[in-house]
Amino acid sequence: MAHSTVDVVIAGAGLAGASAALWLSETLQVTLVTGTNPATSSIAAGLVNPFAGLRMGGRLNSETVCDDLIETLKRANALSTYNPSGILRPAYDQRQTLQFKSQSKINPQHIKWLSPDQIKRDHSYISAPHGAAITTGGILATPDMLNCILTTIRKSHRVIHANVVAWKDRNSYVSVALDSGEVLNTKRLILALGAGYTSFPELLRLNLHKIKGQLVYVPVPEHVIVSLPISGYGYIVPEHERLILGTSYDHSPDNDNPTPEATNQILTLTKKMIPWLNSSTILGVSAGIRVGVPGTRSPMVGPLTSNIWIITGLGSKGILLASYIARNLHSWMYDNAEVPHNFRVRNN
């Protein structure tokens, strides 16, 4: 059964797809096809760390992506899902100490320097012999944010819990087949499938690869209060009475199952920042597969045909990039030249 033609169908309800649906739904009639498996985004630790590896160049910078995230949260009535606590970043060595000190003088509104003595006094559970910086950022309850977005979209648009199995660009519209047997007609299809791209031969020609990341969950001792997320040797994110430790990078995953090897790797890294993690009880582990673009830190956004677009390759920076892409997507779709050059579709 096919419905009347809608403006946009978005396949995938992770951070990229859900954020795009939210922004586009303000001016266009949108149908969001969520898929039936949980998005990898929903198990992310939720660390909003704009100063870690965000080297996109051009028009994109840390202030831009943070502003776009906040605006997305406002539009989804989801501000309560974000805690802009700041992030504690221990310096690796004396060289990074000098860098952090210099940056704290240039950008005091974004970076505050703490000496080793200050760390011992205020954050005694941290091992930071070279000192540390507190930078802009915080913790996002990603599953709650995604639920808020879906709730907002459902008020005036269609959300379908199904999987896309095929599509056909028919020049004047795109027909989209679902595993439920329904066929949707749309002026434009946006594919935000995450690792699901491998199910479609027409997407395998793209310059993409899968990366499995793992998380480890441990309890917080009764006598300790971990007040800030920590980023350096991996990351540590406080969540209620537990800590989320991450992450590993498996560039040749056969599946999305956690492994003991990745758990040991994460513990080896994070105990450099909190030594008592070495003796912690492991409450659980989880893993998910992200998508990256080899040879670049940038995502991939753009047209595959005149009416079919793709958003992919956000890697471990999905929280930062999804809102930026979503905010600009409408204008990019109507003027492809506006897509940042380093974001554009690349084939193998």
Side-chain angles (χ1 to χ4, degrees), residues 8 16 22 25 62 72 103 111 129 149 157 185 188 207 220 232 235 260 284 288 295 302 342:
V8 182
L22 178 71
S25 66
S62 59
T72 298
Q103 291 171 0
I111 304 176
I149 290 177
H157 299 268
N185 292 334
R188 183 155 287 157
N207 184 33
V220 181
Y235 58 76
N342 53 329

mmCIF file with all atom_site columns, all heavy atoms in Angstrom, residues 8 16 22 25 62 72 103 111 129 149 157 185 188 207 220 232 235 260 284 288 295 302 342:
data_model
loop_
_atom_site.group_PDB
_atom_site.id
_atom_site.type_symbol
_atom_site.label_atom_id
_atom_site.label_alt_id
_atom_site.label_comp_id
_atom_site.label_asym_id
_atom_site.label_entity_id
_atom_site.label_seq_id
_atom_site.pdbx_PDB_ins_code
_atom_site.Cartn_x
_atom_site.Cartn_y
_atom_site.Cartn_z
_atom_site.occupancy
_atom_site.B_iso_or_equiv
_atom_site.pdbx_formal_charge
_atom_site.auth_seq_id
_atom_site.auth_comp_id
_atom_site.auth_asym_id
_atom_site.auth_atom_id
_atom_site.pdbx_PDB_model_num
ATOM 1   N N   . VAL A 1 8   ? 9.569  14.432  2.404  1.00 0.00 ? 8   VAL A N   1
ATOM 2   C CA  . VAL A 1 8   ? 10.816 13.744  2.760  1.00 0.00 ? 8   VAL A CA  1
ATOM 3   C C   . VAL A 1 8   ? 10.511 12.481  3.551  1.00 0.00 ? 8   VAL A C   1
ATOM 4   O O   . VAL A 1 8   ? 9.701  12.504  4.482  1.00 0.00 ? 8   VAL A O   1
ATOM 5   C CB  . VAL A 1 8   ? 11.736 14.652  3.624  1.00 0.00 ? 8   VAL A CB  1
ATOM 6   C CG1 . VAL A 1 8   ? 13.049 13.921  3.943  1.00 0.00 ? 8   VAL A CG1 1
ATOM 7   C CG2 . VAL A 1 8   ? 12.039 15.964  2.935  1.00 0.00 ? 8   VAL A CG2 1
ATOM 8   N N   . ALA A 1 16  ? 21.754 11.234  13.665 1.00 0.00 ? 16  ALA A N   1
ATOM 9   C CA  . ALA A 1 16  ? 21.707 11.921  12.373 1.00 0.00 ? 16  ALA A CA  1
ATOM 10  C C   . ALA A 1 16  ? 20.293 11.970  11.812 1.00 0.00 ? 16  ALA A C   1
ATOM 11  O O   . ALA A 1 16  ? 19.790 13.037  11.439 1.00 0.00 ? 16  ALA A O   1
ATOM 12  C CB  . ALA A 1 16  ? 22.651 11.243  11.384 1.00 0.00 ? 16  ALA A CB  1
ATOM 13  N N   . LEU A 1 22  ? 13.772 16.266  12.779 1.00 0.00 ? 22  LEU A N   1
ATOM 14  C CA  . LEU A 1 22  ? 13.292 17.348  13.636 1.00 0.00 ? 22  LEU A CA  1
ATOM 15  C C   . LEU A 1 22  ? 13.378 18.695  12.930 1.00 0.00 ? 22  LEU A C   1
ATOM 16  O O   . LEU A 1 22  ? 12.406 19.470  12.912 1.00 0.00 ? 22  LEU A O   1
ATOM 17  C CB  . LEU A 1 22  ? 14.104 17.379  14.933 1.00 0.00 ? 22  LEU A CB  1
ATOM 18  C CG  . LEU A 1 22  ? 13.750 18.490  15.924 1.00 0.00 ? 22  LEU A CG  1
ATOM 19  C CD1 . LEU A 1 22  ? 12.401 18.218  16.566 1.00 0.00 ? 22  LEU A CD1 1
ATOM 20  C CD2 . LEU A 1 22  ? 14.833 18.622  16.998 1.00 0.00 ? 22  LEU A CD2 1
ATOM 21  N N   . SER A 1 25  ? 11.178 18.896  9.680  1.00 0.00 ? 25  SER A N   1
ATOM 22  C CA  . SER A 1 25  ? 9.735  18.832  9.929  1.00 0.00 ? 25  SER A CA  1
ATOM 23  C C   . SER A 1 25  ? 9.128  20.203  10.208 1.00 0.00 ? 25  SER A C   1
ATOM 24  O O   . SER A 1 25  ? 7.903  20.346  10.214 1.00 0.00 ? 25  SER A O   1
ATOM 25  C CB  . SER A 1 25  ? 9.442  17.881  11.096 1.00 0.00 ? 25  SER A CB  1
ATOM 26  O OG  . SER A 1 25  ? 9.966  18.391  12.308 1.00 0.00 ? 25  SER A OG  1
ATOM 27  N N   . SER A 1 62  ? 34.019 24.495  17.246 1.00 0.00 ? 62  SER A N   1
ATOM 28  C CA  . SER A 1 62  ? 33.388 23.943  18.437 1.00 0.00 ? 62  SER A CA  1
ATOM 29  C C   . SER A 1 62  ? 32.193 24.766  18.902 1.00 0.00 ? 62  SER A C   1
ATOM 30  O O   . SER A 1 62  ? 31.196 24.220  19.374 1.00 0.00 ? 62  SER A O   1
ATOM 31  C CB  . SER A 1 62  ? 34.415 23.829  19.566 1.00 0.00 ? 62  SER A CB  1
ATOM 32  O OG  . SER A 1 62  ? 34.972 25.097  19.865 1.00 0.00 ? 62  SER A OG  1
ATOM 33  N N   . THR A 1 72  ? 18.907 22.339  18.865 1.00 0.00 ? 72  THR A N   1
ATOM 34  C CA  . THR A 1 72  ? 18.170 21.097  18.631 1.00 0.00 ? 72  THR A CA  1
ATOM 35  C C   . THR A 1 72  ? 17.446 20.652  19.892 1.00 0.00 ? 72  THR A C   1
ATOM 36  O O   . THR A 1 72  ? 16.272 20.260  19.853 1.00 0.00 ? 72  THR A O   1
ATOM 37  C CB  . THR A 1 72  ? 19.133 19.989  18.154 1.00 0.00 ? 72  THR A CB  1
ATOM 38  O OG1 . THR A 1 72  ? 19.723 20.374  16.914 1.00 0.00 ? 72  THR A OG1 1
ATOM 39  C CG2 . THR A 1 72  ? 18.402 18.663  17.970 1.00 0.00 ? 72  THR A CG2 1
ATOM 40  N N   . GLN A 1 103 ? 45.965 28.010  26.165 1.00 0.00 ? 103 GLN A N   1
ATOM 41  C CA  . GLN A 1 103 ? 44.587 28.102  25.697 1.00 0.00 ? 103 GLN A CA  1
ATOM 42  C C   . GLN A 1 103 ? 43.675 28.706  26.753 1.00 0.00 ? 103 GLN A C   1
ATOM 43  O O   . GLN A 1 103 ? 42.710 29.410  26.424 1.00 0.00 ? 103 GLN A O   1
ATOM 44  C CB  . GLN A 1 103 ? 44.095 26.708  25.292 1.00 0.00 ? 103 GLN A CB  1
ATOM 45  C CG  . GLN A 1 103 ? 44.765 26.157  24.046 1.00 0.00 ? 103 GLN A CG  1
ATOM 46  C CD  . GLN A 1 103 ? 44.425 24.694  23.806 1.00 0.00 ? 103 GLN A CD  1
ATOM 47  O OE1 . GLN A 1 103 ? 43.676 24.077  24.573 1.00 0.00 ? 103 GLN A OE1 1
ATOM 48  N NE2 . GLN A 1 103 ? 44.976 24.121  22.750 1.00 0.00 ? 103 GLN A NE2 1
ATOM 49  N N   . ILE A 1 111 ? 38.056 27.333  28.562 1.00 0.00 ? 111 ILE A N   1
ATOM 50  C CA  . ILE A 1 111 ? 39.070 26.465  29.159 1.00 0.00 ? 111 ILE A CA  1
ATOM 51  C C   . ILE A 1 111 ? 39.584 27.077  30.463 1.00 0.00 ? 111 ILE A C   1
ATOM 52  O O   . ILE A 1 111 ? 39.975 28.246  30.494 1.00 0.00 ? 111 ILE A O   1
ATOM 53  C CB  . ILE A 1 111 ? 40.261 26.245  28.201 1.00 0.00 ? 111 ILE A CB  1
ATOM 54  C CG1 . ILE A 1 111 ? 39.792 25.676  26.864 1.00 0.00 ? 111 ILE A CG1 1
ATOM 55  C CG2 . ILE A 1 111 ? 41.297 25.308  28.827 1.00 0.00 ? 111 ILE A CG2 1
ATOM 56  C CD1 . ILE A 1 111 ? 40.886 25.527  25.833 1.00 0.00 ? 111 ILE A CD1 1
ATOM 57  N N   . PRO A 1 129 ? 49.270 14.197  37.278 1.00 0.00 ? 129 PRO A N   1
ATOM 58  C CA  . PRO A 1 129 ? 50.522 14.776  37.759 1.00 0.00 ? 129 PRO A CA  1
ATOM 59  C C   . PRO A 1 129 ? 50.985 16.002  36.977 1.00 0.00 ? 129 PRO A C   1
ATOM 60  O O   . PRO A 1 129 ? 51.793 16.780  37.482 1.00 0.00 ? 129 PRO A O   1
ATOM 61  C CB  . PRO A 1 129 ? 51.520 13.623  37.614 1.00 0.00 ? 129 PRO A CB  1
ATOM 62  C CG  . PRO A 1 129 ? 50.919 12.704  36.605 1.00 0.00 ? 129 PRO A CG  1
ATOM 63  C CD  . PRO A 1 129 ? 49.445 12.810  36.800 1.00 0.00 ? 129 PRO A CD  1
ATOM 64  N N   . ILE A 1 149 ? 12.966 13.834  20.761 1.00 0.00 ? 149 ILE A N   1
ATOM 65  C CA  . ILE A 1 149 ? 12.848 14.197  19.348 1.00 0.00 ? 149 ILE A CA  1
ATOM 66  C C   . ILE A 1 149 ? 11.697 13.439  18.702 1.00 0.00 ? 149 ILE A C   1
ATOM 67  O O   . ILE A 1 149 ? 10.866 14.023  17.986 1.00 0.00 ? 149 ILE A O   1
ATOM 68  C CB  . ILE A 1 149 ? 14.170 13.920  18.610 1.00 0.00 ? 149 ILE A CB  1
ATOM 69  C CG1 . ILE A 1 149 ? 15.256 14.906  19.065 1.00 0.00 ? 149 ILE A CG1 1
ATOM 70  C CG2 . ILE A 1 149 ? 13.970 14.033  17.097 1.00 0.00 ? 149 ILE A CG2 1
ATOM 71  C CD1 . ILE A 1 149 ? 16.618 14.655  18.448 1.00 0.00 ? 149 ILE A CD1 1
ATOM 72  N N   . HIS A 1 157 ? 3.779  14.660  12.466 1.00 0.00 ? 157 HIS A N   1
ATOM 73  C CA  . HIS A 1 157 ? 4.343  13.916  11.341 1.00 0.00 ? 157 HIS A CA  1
ATOM 74  C C   . HIS A 1 157 ? 4.287  12.425  11.640 1.00 0.00 ? 157 HIS A C   1
ATOM 75  O O   . HIS A 1 157 ? 4.029  12.007  12.769 1.00 0.00 ? 157 HIS A O   1
ATOM 76  C CB  . HIS A 1 157 ? 5.796  14.350  11.078 1.00 0.00 ? 157 HIS A CB  1
ATOM 77  C CG  . HIS A 1 157 ? 5.929  15.797  10.738 1.00 0.00 ? 157 HIS A CG  1
ATOM 78  N ND1 . HIS A 1 157 ? 5.905  16.277  9.447  1.00 0.00 ? 157 HIS A ND1 1
ATOM 79  C CD2 . HIS A 1 157 ? 6.061  16.886  11.536 1.00 0.00 ? 157 HIS A CD2 1
ATOM 80  C CE1 . HIS A 1 157 ? 6.036  17.590  9.462  1.00 0.00 ? 157 HIS A CE1 1
ATOM 81  N NE2 . HIS A 1 157 ? 6.122  17.987  10.722 1.00 0.00 ? 157 HIS A NE2 1
ATOM 82  N N   . ASN A 1 185 ? 5.827  6.864   -0.993 1.00 0.00 ? 185 ASN A N   1
ATOM 83  C CA  . ASN A 1 185 ? 6.254  7.724   -2.088 1.00 0.00 ? 185 ASN A CA  1
ATOM 84  C C   . ASN A 1 185 ? 6.700  9.063   -1.522 1.00 0.00 ? 185 ASN A C   1
ATOM 85  O O   . ASN A 1 185 ? 5.999  9.664   -0.694 1.00 0.00 ? 185 ASN A O   1
ATOM 86  C CB  . ASN A 1 185 ? 5.121  7.944   -3.093 1.00 0.00 ? 185 ASN A CB  1
ATOM 87  C CG  . ASN A 1 185 ? 4.760  6.679   -3.848 1.00 0.00 ? 185 ASN A CG  1
ATOM 88  O OD1 . ASN A 1 185 ? 5.599  5.790   -4.002 1.00 0.00 ? 185 ASN A OD1 1
ATOM 89  N ND2 . ASN A 1 185 ? 3.522  6.581   -4.306 1.00 0.00 ? 185 ASN A ND2 1
ATOM 90  N N   . ARG A 1 188 ? 11.804 13.204  -1.714 1.00 0.00 ? 188 ARG A N   1
ATOM 91  C CA  . ARG A 1 188 ? 13.222 13.018  -1.414 1.00 0.00 ? 188 ARG A CA  1
ATOM 92  C C   . ARG A 1 188 ? 13.376 11.992  -0.298 1.00 0.00 ? 188 ARG A C   1
ATOM 93  O O   . ARG A 1 188 ? 12.663 12.032  0.711  1.00 0.00 ? 188 ARG A O   1
ATOM 94  C CB  . ARG A 1 188 ? 13.856 14.339  -1.013 1.00 0.00 ? 188 ARG A CB  1
ATOM 95  C CG  . ARG A 1 188 ? 15.353 14.268  -0.757 1.00 0.00 ? 188 ARG A CG  1
ATOM 96  C CD  . ARG A 1 188 ? 15.997 15.621  -0.974 1.00 0.00 ? 188 ARG A CD  1
ATOM 97  N NE  . ARG A 1 188 ? 16.072 15.961  -2.377 1.00 0.00 ? 188 ARG A NE  1
ATOM 98  C CZ  . ARG A 1 188 ? 16.175 17.208  -2.825 1.00 0.00 ? 188 ARG A CZ  1
ATOM 99  N NH1 . ARG A 1 188 ? 16.166 18.225  -1.982 1.00 0.00 ? 188 ARG A NH1 1
ATOM 100 N NH2 . ARG A 1 188 ? 16.257 17.449  -4.103 1.00 0.00 ? 188 ARG A NH2 1
ATOM 101 N N   . ASN A 1 207 ? 32.879 5.232   0.068  1.00 0.00 ? 207 ASN A N   1
ATOM 102 C CA  . ASN A 1 207 ? 34.124 5.128   0.840  1.00 0.00 ? 207 ASN A CA  1
ATOM 103 C C   . ASN A 1 207 ? 33.804 5.176   2.329  1.00 0.00 ? 207 ASN A C   1
ATOM 104 O O   . ASN A 1 207 ? 33.981 6.182   2.999  1.00 0.00 ? 207 ASN A O   1
ATOM 105 C CB  . ASN A 1 207 ? 35.064 6.278   0.456  1.00 0.00 ? 207 ASN A CB  1
ATOM 106 C CG  . ASN A 1 207 ? 36.408 6.179   1.139  1.00 0.00 ? 207 ASN A CG  1
ATOM 107 O OD1 . ASN A 1 207 ? 36.901 5.085   1.394  1.00 0.00 ? 207 ASN A OD1 1
ATOM 108 N ND2 . ASN A 1 207 ? 37.012 7.312   1.436  1.00 0.00 ? 207 ASN A ND2 1
ATOM 109 N N   . VAL A 1 220 ? 30.510 3.352   41.275 1.00 0.00 ? 220 VAL A N   1
ATOM 110 C CA  . VAL A 1 220 ? 31.285 4.380   41.962 1.00 0.00 ? 220 VAL A CA  1
ATOM 111 C C   . VAL A 1 220 ? 31.350 4.013   43.440 1.00 0.00 ? 220 VAL A C   1
ATOM 112 O O   . VAL A 1 220 ? 30.307 3.777   44.056 1.00 0.00 ? 220 VAL A O   1
ATOM 113 C CB  . VAL A 1 220 ? 30.631 5.767   41.797 1.00 0.00 ? 220 VAL A CB  1
ATOM 114 C CG1 . VAL A 1 220 ? 31.471 6.836   42.499 1.00 0.00 ? 220 VAL A CG1 1
ATOM 115 C CG2 . VAL A 1 220 ? 30.458 6.110   40.324 1.00 0.00 ? 220 VAL A CG2 1
ATOM 116 N N   . GLY A 1 232 ? 40.686 11.811  28.202 1.00 0.00 ? 232 GLY A N   1
ATOM 117 C CA  . GLY A 1 232 ? 42.134 11.821  28.029 1.00 0.00 ? 232 GLY A CA  1
ATOM 118 C C   . GLY A 1 232 ? 42.572 10.469  27.534 1.00 0.00 ? 232 GLY A C   1
ATOM 119 O O   . GLY A 1 232 ? 42.605 10.196  26.336 1.00 0.00 ? 232 GLY A O   1
ATOM 120 N N   . TYR A 1 235 ? 37.750 7.775   28.038 1.00 0.00 ? 235 TYR A N   1
ATOM 121 C CA  . TYR A 1 235 ? 36.913 8.721   28.769 1.00 0.00 ? 235 TYR A CA  1
ATOM 122 C C   . TYR A 1 235 ? 36.139 8.013   29.862 1.00 0.00 ? 235 TYR A C   1
ATOM 123 O O   . TYR A 1 235 ? 35.952 6.795   29.847 1.00 0.00 ? 235 TYR A O   1
ATOM 124 C CB  . TYR A 1 235 ? 35.980 9.490   27.839 1.00 0.00 ? 235 TYR A CB  1
ATOM 125 C CG  . TYR A 1 235 ? 35.044 8.639   26.999 1.00 0.00 ? 235 TYR A CG  1
ATOM 126 C CD1 . TYR A 1 235 ? 33.920 8.040   27.550 1.00 0.00 ? 235 TYR A CD1 1
ATOM 127 C CD2 . TYR A 1 235 ? 35.278 8.473   25.635 1.00 0.00 ? 235 TYR A CD2 1
ATOM 128 C CE1 . TYR A 1 235 ? 33.055 7.277   26.785 1.00 0.00 ? 235 TYR A CE1 1
ATOM 129 C CE2 . TYR A 1 235 ? 34.415 7.709   24.856 1.00 0.00 ? 235 TYR A CE2 1
ATOM 130 C CZ  . TYR A 1 235 ? 33.320 7.123   25.428 1.00 0.00 ? 235 TYR A CZ  1
ATOM 131 O OH  . TYR A 1 235 ? 32.469 6.364   24.670 1.00 0.00 ? 235 TYR A OH  1
ATOM 132 N N   . PRO A 1 260 ? 36.190 -9.467  25.728 1.00 0.00 ? 260 PRO A N   1
ATOM 133 C CA  . PRO A 1 260 ? 37.057 -9.284  26.905 1.00 0.00 ? 260 PRO A CA  1
ATOM 134 C C   . PRO A 1 260 ? 38.294 -8.454  26.575 1.00 0.00 ? 260 PRO A C   1
ATOM 135 O O   . PRO A 1 260 ? 38.776 -7.690  27.414 1.00 0.00 ? 260 PRO A O   1
ATOM 136 C CB  . PRO A 1 260 ? 37.431 -10.719 27.294 1.00 0.00 ? 260 PRO A CB  1
ATOM 137 C CG  . PRO A 1 260 ? 36.368 -11.579 26.704 1.00 0.00 ? 260 PRO A CG  1
ATOM 138 C CD  . PRO A 1 260 ? 35.953 -10.893 25.441 1.00 0.00 ? 260 PRO A CD  1
ATOM 139 N N   . GLY A 1 284 ? 28.709 -4.336  33.704 1.00 0.00 ? 284 GLY A N   1
ATOM 140 C CA  . GLY A 1 284 ? 28.243 -4.744  32.392 1.00 0.00 ? 284 GLY A CA  1
ATOM 141 C C   . GLY A 1 284 ? 29.086 -4.125  31.300 1.00 0.00 ? 284 GLY A C   1
ATOM 142 O O   . GLY A 1 284 ? 29.935 -3.262  31.547 1.00 0.00 ? 284 GLY A O   1
ATOM 143 N N   . GLY A 1 288 ? 28.681 -1.146  20.066 1.00 0.00 ? 288 GLY A N   1
ATOM 144 C CA  . GLY A 1 288 ? 27.901 -0.736  18.903 1.00 0.00 ? 288 GLY A CA  1
ATOM 145 C C   . GLY A 1 288 ? 28.840 -0.436  17.761 1.00 0.00 ? 288 GLY A C   1
ATOM 146 O O   . GLY A 1 288 ? 30.045 -0.240  17.954 1.00 0.00 ? 288 GLY A O   1
ATOM 147 N N   . GLY A 1 295 ? 40.445 7.939   6.018  1.00 0.00 ? 295 GLY A N   1
ATOM 148 C CA  . GLY A 1 295 ? 41.324 9.016   5.586  1.00 0.00 ? 295 GLY A CA  1
ATOM 149 C C   . GLY A 1 295 ? 40.840 10.405  5.904  1.00 0.00 ? 295 GLY A C   1
ATOM 150 O O   . GLY A 1 295 ? 41.445 11.390  5.459  1.00 0.00 ? 295 GLY A O   1
ATOM 151 N N   . GLY A 1 302 ? 25.338 14.156  1.268  1.00 0.00 ? 302 GLY A N   1
ATOM 152 C CA  . GLY A 1 302 ? 25.106 14.658  -0.086 1.00 0.00 ? 302 GLY A CA  1
ATOM 153 C C   . GLY A 1 302 ? 24.234 13.737  -0.908 1.00 0.00 ? 302 GLY A C   1
ATOM 154 O O   . GLY A 1 302 ? 23.768 12.690  -0.439 1.00 0.00 ? 302 GLY A O   1
ATOM 155 N N   . ASN A 1 342 ? 34.553 19.042  2.227  1.00 0.00 ? 342 ASN A N   1
ATOM 156 C CA  . ASN A 1 342 ? 35.068 17.845  2.881  1.00 0.00 ? 342 ASN A CA  1
ATOM 157 C C   . ASN A 1 342 ? 33.979 16.909  3.395  1.00 0.00 ? 342 ASN A C   1
ATOM 158 O O   . ASN A 1 342 ? 34.275 15.841  3.916  1.00 0.00 ? 342 ASN A O   1
ATOM 159 C CB  . ASN A 1 342 ? 36.026 18.220  4.025  1.00 0.00 ? 342 ASN A CB  1
ATOM 160 C CG  . ASN A 1 342 ? 35.419 19.186  5.015  1.00 0.00 ? 342 ASN A CG  1
ATOM 161 O OD1 . ASN A 1 342 ? 34.578 20.010  4.651  1.00 0.00 ? 342 ASN A OD1 1
ATOM 162 N ND2 . ASN A 1 342 ? 35.825 19.115  6.262  1.00 0.00 ? 342 ASN A ND2 1
#
